[in-house]
């Protein structure tokens, strides 16, 4: 499956932005999904994840309380809503997906995921 991210851009510190992920074949509802980000010259890091059935979410400590991950299977989309953005949130944001072993599993490691999008740039200016 091909994952396509959208919604990145430039925002001022303290502002909000949403990024979305869709599957090219319309099957995102069958996958557990995660978001990761990678800042220049840094390793890719976990941001947030949601179970396939959508009843469980998990966040990195750095974004807890500021970011919300959600899914709308009717429109084949997983969205990461980012509030109270800091300049250090600046990074390329990647969507990742995998078939879950169980519908409520949530995955937070890079190696857990099978499919990756190309990424979308989020830039937070100070």
């Amino acid at each position: 499956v091909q994952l396509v991210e959208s919604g990145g851009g430039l925002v001022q510190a303290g502002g909000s932005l949403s990024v979305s992920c869709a599957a090219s074949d319309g099957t995102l509802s069958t996958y557990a999904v995660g978001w990761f980000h990678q800042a220049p010259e840094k390793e890719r890091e976990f941001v947030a994840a949601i179970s396939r059935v959508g009843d469980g979410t998990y966040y990195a400590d750095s974004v807890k309380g500021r970011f919300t991950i959600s899914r709308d299977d009717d429109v084949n989309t997983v969205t990461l809503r980012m509030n109270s953005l800091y300049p250090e949130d600046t990074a390329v944001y990647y969507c990742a997906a995998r078939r879950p072993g169980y519908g409520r599993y949530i995955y937070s490691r890079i190696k857990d995921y099978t499919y990756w999008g190309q990424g979308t740039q989020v830039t937070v200016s100070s």
Side-chain angles (χ1 to χ4, degrees):
V1 63
Q2 278 192 309
L3 302 178
V4 180
E5 300 99 337
S6 61
L10 174 64
V11 64
Q12 287 190 327
S16 299
L17 199 64
S18 291
V19 289
S20 295
C21 176
S24 58
D25 62 0
T27 64
L28 198 62
S29 63
T30 64
Y31 293 88
V33 176
W35 283 96
F36 294 76
H37 69 194
Q38 187 167 16
E41 300 183 2
K42 291 191 175 181
E43 294 192 351
R44 194 170 298 190
E45 297 179 332
F46 170 75
V47 176
I50 189 165
S51 64
R52 182 185 65 78
V53 299
D55 63 346
T57 58
Y58 181 64
Y59 299 91
D61 288 344
S62 60
V63 306
K64 208 171 290 183
R66 299 189 297 125
F67 290 12
T68 302
I69 187 171
S70 61
R71 67 188 307 151
D72 186 341
D73 292 334
D74 289 340
V75 293
N76 182 48
T77 299
V78 170
T79 298
L80 183 68
R81 176 66 176 175
M82 303 179 288
N83 296 324
S84 303
L85 283 159
Y86 304 142
E88 47 265 44
D89 294 317
T90 295
V92 177
Y93 281 72
Y94 296 92
C95 171
R98 64 161 287 158
R99 299 280 190 184
Y102 176 64
R104 288 188 166 86
Y105 280 174
I106 302 170
Y107 302 89
S108 62
R109 301 177 301 178
I110 290 173
K111 64 180 182 179
D112 289 332
Y113 287 92
T114 310
Y115 305 102
W116 291 83
Q118 292 300 304
T120 185
Q121 177 70 45
V122 171
T123 302
V124 184
S125 63
S126 57

